[in-house]
Amino acid sequence: MNKLHIVLKDGSKVPTNTLIWTAGVKGTSDAADFGLEAARGQRLYANEYMQAKGYEDKDIYIVGDLVHYEENGDGRPTPQIVQAAEQTAHTAAANIVAKVKNTEKHEFKSNYQGFMVSIGSKWGVANLMDKVHMAGFMAIVMKHIVNLKYFFDMRSGYYMFQYMMHEFFHIKNDRNVTRGHSSRYGNVLWSVPLRVFYGSMWLIESSKKVVGNGHYLNPTSWFGDGSWFTDKVVFPFPWLQEQVTTGASAAGAHAAEATTAATGAAGGATDAAAATATQATHFGFSYAFGENPMPVFEKMPHWFSKIMEVMMPNQDVALFMQKFMTFVEIGIALALIFGLFTWLASAATIGLTIVFCLSGMFYWVNIWFIFVAFALMNGSGRALGLDRWVIPWIQRTVGKWWYGTPRSIYGKK
Ligand SMILES: Cc1cc2nc3c(=O)[nH]c(=O)nc-3n(C[C@H](O)[C@H](O)[C@H](O)COP(=O)(O)OP(=O)(O)OC[C@H]3O[C@@H](n4cnc5c(N)ncnc54)[C@H](O)[C@@H]3O)c2cc1C
């Protein structure tokens, strides 16, 4: 039998050696020092305008958990919940403005849209406007929606982001709404080989666009035939290819001999194209020898073609874009290899892959790009990569620049 026990109000005893009491909310001891009239739990009496009782002429207002205001005169003060805190604050703010402008005062009128209690991190109950009752999973989902709305009302995308990162992706011991599926931790070191491989793949593919049919070890042979740096548009978009045809015809009018030669070459190309077109394409996720891989889209969807026509209206823009895109791809490749901004670089490759697919320039066999990119968004740049130092530095610097340096200004007692 334990020698120590706690005694409840009804006299019953609960034996224990350790007592940790976490229930109940008490006003801060600083509030007690104000000398204002206080109720239970050091809550301060306020009138319907949230003015401190007895000091109505001194412009002292009380808000939040600290308020003791009996709205219905039934001895029950405003509940110590977020909605009451916000609404009492609104009343006080409106009355400060009214005082300054010498207009009519605003009376506190509660409007509680519901009550929510979270029990642990995975379970809760919610009662919305006395109509909808929820328990368990849905109540917790509702809690997250309400919390995110709170940060949204504060116009803080930063806090919304931090909240989501913490609650859904970083929280430990499976303590979240997805039962830990979204916050499972692993050693990102294992994804480093994949990161370097994927970056190298982008580097090789983008380098081909520079080197063309030239030789990698001979820079003077670069930028020639087969490269994206010639004055030949590589995008197979009809409106750009039509311009090529029209341009060729005009040139043909001025140089008959050249046209004859070109026609011969074009005839050969057409035959080859026809032969390819008749060859059936095969759906699959890996290249099988001898098969013709199937493109994700045979031709651009109409809506995408309209967008691209605006973005790349003519050959000049297309020629600039194909060079620019090559540099972007090289940049992404190097970022992946060196683990710099890995999340962004991986996300960018997903975007590029989707654009290539929609442009009719991408095959099903390479669709793994997207899934690899998702896998690398696991912070793989933090192991053997520059993100290990760069990202914390950016977070610190931007955080200080945007929010300043947090510092306690109380609690000296
Ligand atoms: C565990 C827990 C769970 C809760 N769950 C819910 C819920 O699910 N739904 C709900 O609606 N409500 C909930 N509440 C209640 C809700 O958090 C409060 O009602 C609300 O935060 C009150 O807001 P407030 O601004 O009055 O006070 P607080 O949010 O407590 O803010 C007071 C601030 O003043 C600061 N401060 C104190 N003394 C000083 C000083 N001397 N100088 C400078 N600053 C000082 C404190 O650090 C604090 O930041 C919960 C509360 C707790 C403790």
Side-chain angles (χ1 to χ4, degrees):
M1 177 76 183
N2 298 51
K3 286 186 187 145
L4 297 171
H5 55 258
I6 54 167
V7 184
L8 301 182
K9 210 174 182 179
D10 64 2
S12 54
K13 293 178 180 175
V14 180
T16 180
N17 286 319
T18 311
L19 171 64
I20 301 174
W21 183 255
T22 60
V25 181
K26 200 175 170 195
T28 156
S29 54
D30 288 307
D33 295 345
F34 294 157
L36 303 173
E37 193 178 340
R40 190 165 168 259
Q42 273 168 20
R43 296 178 71 180
L44 304 177
Y45 280 106
N47 65 11
E48 66 272 39
Y49 307 115
M50 294 303 121
Q51 293 168 311
K53 193 177 167 194
Y55 293 87
E56 289 81 356
D57 55 335
K58 295 274 191 300
D59 296 330
I60 299 174
Y61 294 85
I62 307 189
V63 300
D65 277 358
L66 215 47
V67 172
H68 183 106
Y69 169 61
E70 294 169 22
E71 189 177 11
N72 303 318
D74 57 1
R76 294 170 61 192
T78 45
Q80 287 169 298
I81 57 170
V82 170
Q83 291 176 82
E86 288 183 345
Q87 290 166 21
T88 51
H90 275 134
T91 304
N95 285 327
I96 291 168
V97 173
K99 170 82 185 190
V100 173
K101 293 188 173 171
N102 204 16
T103 51
E104 206 176 320
K105 290 204 286 274
H106 297 257
E107 203 172 303
F108 175 78
K109 191 96 197 70
S110 65
N111 175 23
Y112 306 128
Q113 282 154 355
F115 291 88
M116 208 172 279
V117 179
S118 53
I119 299 150
S121 48
K122 303 177 195 168
W123 212 83
V125 285
N127 176 358
L128 306 181
M129 292 187 248
D130 263 342
K131 289 191 184 108
V132 184
H133 303 276
M134 295 178 189
F137 179 79
M138 283 316 292
I140 288 291
V141 169
M142 188 52 70
K143 177 189 109 171
H144 288 309
I145 292 173
V146 168
N147 287 348
L148 284 168
K149 184 186 169 295
Y150 170 68
F151 293 128
F152 180 78
D153 288 345
M154 284 166 59
R155 304 283 181 273
S156 179
Y158 174 78
Y159 277 130
M160 286 178 84
F161 177 76
Q162 290 294 334
Y163 179 85
M164 285 195 285
M165 292 308 281
H166 178 261
E167 292 290 329
F168 304 129
F169 300 113
H170 289 165
I171 205 159
K172 294 202 170 136
N173 302 327
D174 298 349
R175 294 181 65 247
N176 71 358
V177 69
T178 66
R179 306 300 193 258
H181 285 283
S182 59
S183 55
R184 179 76 208 157
Y185 280 80
N187 192 336
V188 295
L189 185 65
W190 298 117
S191 61
V192 171
L194 183 64
R195 192 192 83 214
V196 176
F197 167 78
Y198 189 55
S200 306
M201 189 280 299
W202 276 94
L203 189 63
I204 290 167
E205 291 307 312
S206 50
S207 301
K208 277 191 212 164
K209 294 169 185 169
V210 174
V211 176
N213 298 339
H215 198 280
Y216 278 89
L217 297 178
N218 179 11
T220 53
S221 67
W222 298 358
F223 304 108
D225 264 2
S227 128
W228 281 30
F229 285 78
T230 62
D231 53 3
K232 184 168 173 266
V233 173
V234 295
F235 302 112
F237 306 155
W239 66 94
L240 295 174
Q241 296 305 327
E242 273 161 24
Q243 287 174 17
V244 175
T245 317
T246 319
S249 313
H254 295 289
E257 275 179 41
T259 310
T260 318
T263 313
T270 315
D271 291 347
T276 315
T278 48
Q279 203 181 330
T281 58
H282 292 266
F283 174 77
F285 291 138
S286 77
Y287 178 73
F289 179 74
E291 277 184 7
N292 208 16
M294 182 184 280
V296 178
F297 284 94
E298 292 282 352
K299 69 185 198 35
M300 265 195 280
H302 182 66
W303 62 270
F304 188 70
S305 148
K306 288 283 156 216
I307 295 174
M308 292 309 279
E309 231 175 309
V310 173
M311 289 179 68
M312 239 185 264
N314 56 45
Q315 286 204 7
D316 288 339
V317 179
L319 286 171
F320 168 77
M321 283 303 282
Q322 66 194 45
K323 293 173 184 111
F324 177 71
M325 286 311 301
T326 306
F327 284 121
V328 169
E329 284 176 30
I330 291 174
I332 287 174
L334 293 175
L336 287 167
I337 291 170
F338 292 107
L340 180 65
F341 303 127
T342 312
W343 196 95
L344 273 182
S346 304
T349 66
I350 294 175
L352 283 177
T353 306
I354 292 171
V355 169
F356 294 157
C357 287
L358 289 166
S359 305
M361 297 167 71
F362 204 82
Y363 297 98
W364 281 113
V365 292
N366 286 335
I367 205 72
W368 57 267
F369 281 26
I370 292 180
F371 302 97
V372 167
F374 274 122
L376 294 178
M377 289 160 90
N378 68 342
S380 80
R382 302 272 184 137
L384 302 178
L386 294 171
D387 282 348
R388 179 165 178 74
W389 298 280
V390 175
I391 300 298
W393 179 81
I394 290 179
Q395 282 171 340
R396 264 196 322 272
T397 310
V398 174
K400 272 187 199 163
W401 169 68
W402 190 253
Y403 286 103
T405 309
R407 188 161 52 92
S408 288
I409 54 165
Y410 64 94
K412 288 179 193 141
K413 289 180 193 171

